[in-house]
Amino acid sequence: MGLSFVFLAFFFCQLVCSSSILGCPKHQSISLVKFKETLSVDPSASPRCYPKTSSWNTSRDCCLWDGVICDEMTGHVIELDLSCSQLVGTIDSNSSLFQLTHLQRLNLSWNEFRGCHISPEFGRFSSLTHLDFSNSNFSGQIPSEISRLSRLEFFRLSPSSRADLRLAAHDFKLLLQNLTQLRELHLTFVNISSTIPLNFSSHLTTLRLGGSGLYGIIPESIFHLPNLETLDLSSNYQLSGSFPKTKWNSSASLMKLVLSRVNFSDNLPESLGYLTSLNSLSLTNCNLRGPIPESLSNLTRIQSLFLQDNSLNGTIPSWMFSLPSLRRLFLSNNHFSGQLEEFKASSLEEIILGSNQLQGHVPKSIQNVVNLTGLDLSDNNFSGNVDVSLFSNLKNLLGVVLSNNKISLINENKGSFTWPESLNVLLLAACEVKEWELLRSAKYLWELDLSNNKLQGRIPDWAWSNWLSLITLDISNNMLTSIDSIPLLNIDTIDLRSNLLQGSLPIPPNSTRNFLISDNNLSEEIPSSICNSTSLFMLDLGRNNLKGAIPQCLGTITTLEVLDMRHNNLSGNLPTTFSNGSSLRSLNLHGNKLEGKIPRSLANCKELQVLDLGDNHLVDTFPMWLGAIPKLKVLSLRMNKFHGSIQPSTIETIFPELQIIDLSQNAFSGNLPASLFQHLKGMRTIDPSKEAPRYRGDTYYKDSITVTTKGLAREIVRILYLYTAVDLSSNKFGGQIPSIMGDLIAIRVLNLSHNGLQGRIPPSFGDLSSVESLDLSGNQLSGEIPQQLVSLTSLSFLNLSHNHLRGCIPQGPQSHTFESNSYKGNDGLRGFPVSKSCGDDQVSDTNDTISGPDDEESDSEFWSDFWKAALMGYGSGLCIGLSILYFMLSTGNPKWLVHIIEDLEHNIMMRRRKKQRGQRNNRRRNNHF
């Protein structure tokens, strides 16, 4: 009887339990289906995921659906995990999702809700303990209602990138104040723009606030949270702080500390040595200085140590290479010096020490670091031979970077040597590599840098066969003489610049995006097959001897951003086929023999920033229509045959971003184009935040242009985005200089020399506060030099020579740095440095003055008067004669003699007075006796 009762009770319990599990309330099942129907499934949104909602079927109990968990007693849906479900759409405030009022855990991470705001209705889930919206691209303001979720223990909202997701500073503080049970808080890349509050939950184990716009001082209390395991405040560039000097309360629990790109401006503290549970420390770019403290040797569990991009100095301690758990050591871009100790930790996988001042030999013990995957010793002062056999037994090696030291890579035993098959990256720039044979066994490379070595002749056939997997190849600055073809099917970037290559241009594979082969001796014509490389971003053929016409088809490659063919022997017309949708940003054809006009199809290049057509044979009027290209920053048409006057534009806004315009050495005429100057917005404001033009493949290519500044032709490289210049010299411009040019306050170089300009120098030039070089020589300017030019404190070169200027040269701190050559050929100028003073005299004190007939006649009359005055002095007393002579000289020439006579008269009068005093004394003595 008792046994039967127990059996019946067990059966009844099973029946009740099974009925509750299978008995999902119908209204919740309907809510889930409606929620599913408001969203769509897109496999491309999360390719590695699978759509959990695809298995939802109303014929089955919703508690059995994928991602749905119900309470075993009530059947209510308490957990909904739709993470990584390829969901796309929006969740509105009237969504049926909010009818699942018993939810305790909700995970919508790794979906695509782009443009969807987080509804305030999420604050209704009062039982929620876990909420995960990470990597789902929500945007907009995070509602303050989230702070009502007082039971929340896990809150993850981090977007996949810096999306437009914001949390108000007030709501941030309210959230921390109310969510007292929080254990994990993930708000990386959420724009908070706040200081860090003090009221964090003592239960916190994980706090991630990286890249959230925090500013101010890090409260020290954050380092003392007793249960903290992970702290990430990285990439808050306006955040600063200091480390505790004593033991941290979190020292026993803290395992991951990420404070990269936070300003500490301090030494690494000894107190870090108390963090004995730490397995990852990231302090990249924190303005840290000083040596590595000895206390860090206590971090026996540390696996990843990131201290790169600081100002740390001293030697690298020997114990650092003996830490038993250390796998990743990043110390690059600091000021470490001295020699490297031997490597003893077999656990090391990555050793990144580039860009320091390390010296001595590369330790041979590197061959014993058997787990090594990456080694970077580049940009140091290592010396001596490095035997390639050191790397042969490192079977996991992925990358070796030894560039830019003073080492020589050799095969000491001259025997067979095998690079590890795992090797993908080999960077050996400036390593005295002379033999191709050292590379024969490297068959699976993705990136190879052999630049600045001593490789000669041809690339061997076996090399092309071994390099089929290459994506980037750099053999620039060697002594290669010929390349027939480039049979690399997957190559992205090829750099063959500065070799001795001859013959015809080798055609890159169709996959190539960046092809650089400038500074060689290539000749012949450019084959039209170059246009088969329809993926090209960058084509640099400059400084060769290429001839013939530019293939018209190059204008149709819409991906092309940089086309550089400067300093060749190209002839014919410019391509006329630049098409709509062009990506062209830089076009440099300087120094060729191109003819004709500028093609109107260039107006289709809406992204164009740099256009250099200088030093050709182009014949055209000024192409005002180029002003409609909105991003054009540099326009050089110098040394061509452009002619005519520059007419006012019919376009309302022209050249809004132009910073350099060079029209020198042409035949432009008429007045200077005042209407053009009033449109140059890029020259009317000084913007220090301007950034350099960026291109895909930007690591390799730098824009440059020749500008005449301070009287010399100078190549401006890479700083084009900061440089502002106007050069209209050596044309036939006439009329007056428009005063509106004084509004171009960002100008550094202004050259209007060798024209026919008349009138006065505008006083508004005193507003050109940034000008460093001002050349107005070789014109017909008249009047006085404006006093306002004295305020140009940046001016280091001034040339006003060969005009008709007159009057006193304005004197100021900067004017004393200019020599007389700055003013020569202006007969009416006086004052330093032309003459000693700026009185009424008209005589120049310089050696450049050449006497004319009038001067000789004046001098003759002067000497005649001089002797008359001298004879008058002889006859009527020397003092009276010299006085008469002084009167004559002070009103005539030459000035230097006035000073001589003044001194002479002074000495004579002093001697006479002394003699008279002596005679009076003698008379007194005689009377006394």
Side-chain angles (χ1 to χ4, degrees), residues 830-850:
R830 303 185 304 281
F832 182 86
V834 172
S835 61
K836 290 184 178 178
S837 64
C838 194
D840 293 331
D841 57 280
Q842 301 297 317
V843 175
S844 174
D845 204 28
T846 67
N847 295 327
D848 296 329
T849 304
I850 300 174

Side-chain angles (χ1 to χ4, degrees), residues 216-219 223 238-243 262-266 286:
I217 306 296
I218 302 174
F223 298 112
Q238 299 182 51
L239 192 63
S240 58
S242 57
F243 296 102
V262 172
N263 184 24
F264 284 94
S265 298
D266 199 356
C286 290

Side-chain angles (χ1 to χ4, degrees), residues 753-796:
S753 65
H754 301 288
N755 281 285
L757 301 174
Q758 301 173 346
R760 296 175 178 268
I761 299 174
S764 63
F765 274 21
D767 297 329
L768 301 178
S769 57
S770 300
V771 72
E772 300 171 6
S773 176
L774 176 61
D775 193 345
L776 304 178
S777 63
N779 282 286
Q780 299 174 32
L781 299 172
S782 58
E784 296 184 351
I785 300 174
Q787 186 67 32
Q788 289 85 345
L789 297 190
V790 172
S791 64
L792 301 179
T793 55
S794 297
L795 191 64
S796 59

